[in-house]
Amino acid sequence: MTDEQGPAASAATGRDVAAELAASGALDELFARIDAGQVQMTGTDGLIPGLIKAALERGLQAELSDHLGYDRGAPEASMFDNSRNGSTPKTLATQVGPVDLDTPRDRQGTFTPQLVPKGARRLDGLDAMIVSLYAGGMTLRDIAHHLHATVGTELSYETISKIVDEIGEEVLAWQRRPLEALYPVIYLDAIVVKVRDGGHVVNKAAHLAVGVDMDGVKHVLGIWVQTTEGAKFWASVCADLANRGIRDVLIVCCDGLTGLPEAIEATWSAATVQTCVVHLIRASMRFVGYGDRKAVAAALRPIYAAADVAAAQAALEAFEDLWGGKYPHAVSTWRAAWERFTPFLAFPPELRRVIYTTNAIESLNYQLRKIIKNRGHFPNDTAVVKLLWLAICTIEDKRAREREKERGRPADQRKAPGRLVEGQIVTNWKKALAQLAIAYPDRINPHL
């Protein structure tokens, strides 16, 4: 049995035992008392905390017996130098409420329990619950209130803060991890977050980069926080990615920020910079009246759906003849971005769908904004990166479970290890990769 199979197998066995006990009628009396309100499931005097207490104390007694060399009540106990010496009470905070535990002691004071280490005040499952609640957008004080209201566990704001802070090193290691030498496609985008700066709350930009690897899997490459989204800062982001190992990028898809293409090419001179068509459509329709939006959007479609650059140029001229007089801004938006808009027109449909928009990262941003909305503002930049990282892990873990479910495999047997910020596989990636190999044979074939 492998390590991955072990937990699933033991969990299934536990469920089977519970089902057998229920089917045999052994639990009928307990169920009746629960229905009558005589037994509570959680809380200080709950059934589940009581079971945890009994299991932990039994395990601690077994550890002490192993440490002493004899079992409780053994006739040969007097032959050993060390012996039992009562117990020390302590309260453990758990996912189902506080558990009052009697930790056994030895007379010489040499017993060091492993099941519940000295100084431990929480079970690991509670820490995981707190981090999960934090990743969902709850503030530290909200988490403290939630734990008290639901399971009766009282933890201070400072304790919860320390639990969350423990993931800081993991986030830092992720942010500094080595990257692959080639990413065929990278998407760049930013979302606005509110951060306290001194006595004021200001808007800052959280910059995100998502790379598609050679297997077509999307990975969040990093999170960087800066006061504003600017080309100069994006240049430093690209430099950081290059320092972590990225030597070449075939296509970088980004919005129409002024100076951004030059900032990208300063790091990867051979990269093709593709302006996101969705951003371009939004920008061109910014001043279009509501009554005309549907008609204008339909008139723009022949431009970005054209077979080649010449056909797109003809479609733009037709659009100008039809709507240019009423909405000159729409026409000027397309003409200003023309050089960075047209690269994807040279590729077949399978590849166009991959590179013509940053929707791959915007769908992630949409989910992140929902979580950020619950927070109001952040105390500092580090808190922003921490929460976004946790949120991305939660989002991608959910996607991974859904993928494994679609493949007919248990979610706990997923191939991706925990805490790997791994996104979905690009649709029709094999066809797109084949087209990239034709378009960039010298740069992509050595990595196939």
Side-chain angles (χ1 to χ4, degrees), residues 177 179-190 207-214 216-224 234 237-255 260-261 263-265 267-268 270-276 279 351 353-362 426 429 436 440 443-444:
R177 75 194 190 281
L179 301 173
E180 297 182 16
L182 171 68
Y183 284 86
V185 183
I186 285 182
Y187 307 94
L188 302 178
D189 203 2
H207 300 67
L208 287 91
V210 173
V212 180
D213 65 17
M214 291 294 292
V217 180
K218 302 169 191 172
H219 298 269
V220 180
L221 306 178
I223 304 169
W224 302 263
W234 273 121
V237 168
C238 293
D240 179 56
L241 294 174
N243 290 335
R244 288 164 54 196
I246 301 181
R247 296 290 172 259
D248 191 15
V249 180
L250 303 183
I251 301 169
V252 180
C253 187
C254 56
D255 60 20
L260 180 52
I264 295 169
E265 291 168 350
T267 301
W268 302 297
T272 298
V273 180
Q274 170 65 49
T275 294
C276 169
H279 276 88
L351 190 52
R353 282 190 285 269
V354 175
I355 66 172
Y356 90 106
T357 176
T358 58
N359 276 356
I361 193 171
E362 287 189 6
V426 174
W429 174 248
L436 285 170
Y440 305 96
R443 295 163 62 190
I444 199 170

Side-chain angles (χ1 to χ4, degrees), residues 299-300 303 313-328 330-332 335:
L300 287 173
I303 302 175
Q313 182 68 49
L316 178 60
E317 292 173 359
F319 176 84
E320 185 174 12
D321 293 340
L322 183 61
W323 294 102
K326 189 173 184 180
Y327 299 115
V331 177
S332 63
R335 293 202 180 281

Side-chain angles (χ1 to χ4, degrees), residues 13-354:
T13 300
R15 288 193 294 267
D16 291 343
V17 170
E20 290 174 4
L21 289 173
S24 68
L27 300 178
D28 289 350
E29 182 180 351
L30 174 61
F31 291 154
R33 296 176 66 181
I34 293 174
D35 293 339
Q38 299 174 358
V39 176
Q40 300 297 321
M41 296 298 291
T42 60
T44 304
D45 299 320
L47 171 64
I48 297 177
L51 292 174
I52 294 175
K53 170 182 171 67
L56 290 179
E57 289 182 350
R58 180 178 179 181
L60 289 170
Q61 288 291 348
E63 284 190 20
L64 181 58
S65 294
D66 184 68
H67 175 73
L68 296 176
Y70 64 90
D71 294 330
R72 176 189 288 273
E76 67 273 17
S78 59
M79 300 172 58
F80 293 85
D81 295 335
N82 202 0
S83 61
R84 287 173 168 78
N85 188 32
S87 61
T88 301
K90 68 187 303 182
T91 300
L92 279 180
T94 76
Q95 295 167 279
V96 293
V99 173
D100 294 326
L101 200 63
D102 291 323
T103 304
R105 300 180 308 222
D106 65 322
R107 194 164 299 279
Q108 294 180 359
T110 56
F111 175 52
T112 304
Q114 301 300 314
L115 185 60
V116 183
K118 290 182 178 180
R121 295 298 176 185
R122 303 180 306 275
L123 290 185
D124 292 341
L126 183 63
D127 287 17
M129 175 189 284
I130 290 171
V131 171
S132 177
L133 293 172
Y134 185 82
M138 294 181 68
T139 65
L140 302 182
R141 297 188 188 280
D142 288 341
I143 293 172
H145 174 72
H146 175 78
L147 293 176
H148 176 68
T150 55
V151 299
T153 297
E154 293 195 29
L155 293 179
S156 68
Y157 170 85
E158 291 76 14
T159 299
I160 297 174
S161 179
K162 289 179 180 178
I163 295 172
V164 175
D165 286 344
E166 288 176 359
I167 67 169
E169 292 185 5
E170 194 172 353
V171 177
L172 188 61
W174 171 80
Q175 187 81 350
R176 294 176 177 176
R177 75 194 190 281
L179 301 173
E180 297 182 16
L182 171 68
Y183 284 86
V185 183
I186 285 182
Y187 307 94
L188 302 178
D189 203 2
I191 59 175
V192 176
V193 295
K194 296 184 180 296
V195 184
R196 178 166 293 279
D197 186 2
H200 304 278
V201 175
V202 300
N203 288 337
K204 291 191 175 185
H207 300 67
L208 287 91
V210 173
V212 180
D213 65 17
M214 291 294 292
D215 294 324
V217 180
K218 302 169 191 172
H219 298 269
V220 180
L221 306 178
I223 304 169
W224 302 263
V225 179
Q226 179 68 4
T227 304
T228 57
E229 181 185 8
K232 184 177 180 180
F233 186 74
W234 273 121
S236 66
V237 168
C238 293
D240 179 56
L241 294 174
N243 290 335
R244 288 164 54 196
I246 301 181
R247 296 290 172 259
D248 191 15
V249 180
L250 303 183
I251 301 169
V252 180
C253 187
C254 56
D255 60 20
L257 183 67
T258 302
L260 180 52
E262 291 76 16
I264 295 169
E265 291 168 350
T267 301
W268 302 297
S269 58
T272 298
V273 180
Q274 170 65 49
T275 294
C276 169
V277 176
V278 173
H279 276 88
L280 193 53
I281 294 172
R282 290 174 184 166
S284 61
M285 296 186 65
R286 184 170 300 161
F287 302 110
V288 175
Y290 180 79
D292 293 331
R293 293 181 71 85
K294 190 173 182 179
V296 171
L300 287 173
R301 180 172 176 78
I303 302 175
Y304 58 84
D308 52 36
V309 177
Q313 182 68 49
L316 178 60
E317 292 173 359
F319 176 84
E320 185 174 12
D321 293 340
L322 183 61
W323 294 102
K326 189 173 184 180
Y327 299 115
H329 171 78
V331 177
S332 63
T333 298
W334 283 86
R335 293 202 180 281
W338 194 253
E339 181 182 352
R340 300 296 181 181
F341 152 69
T342 56
F344 85 106
L345 294 176
F347 299 110
E350 292 84 4
L351 190 52
R352 287 191 187 188
R353 282 190 285 269
V354 175

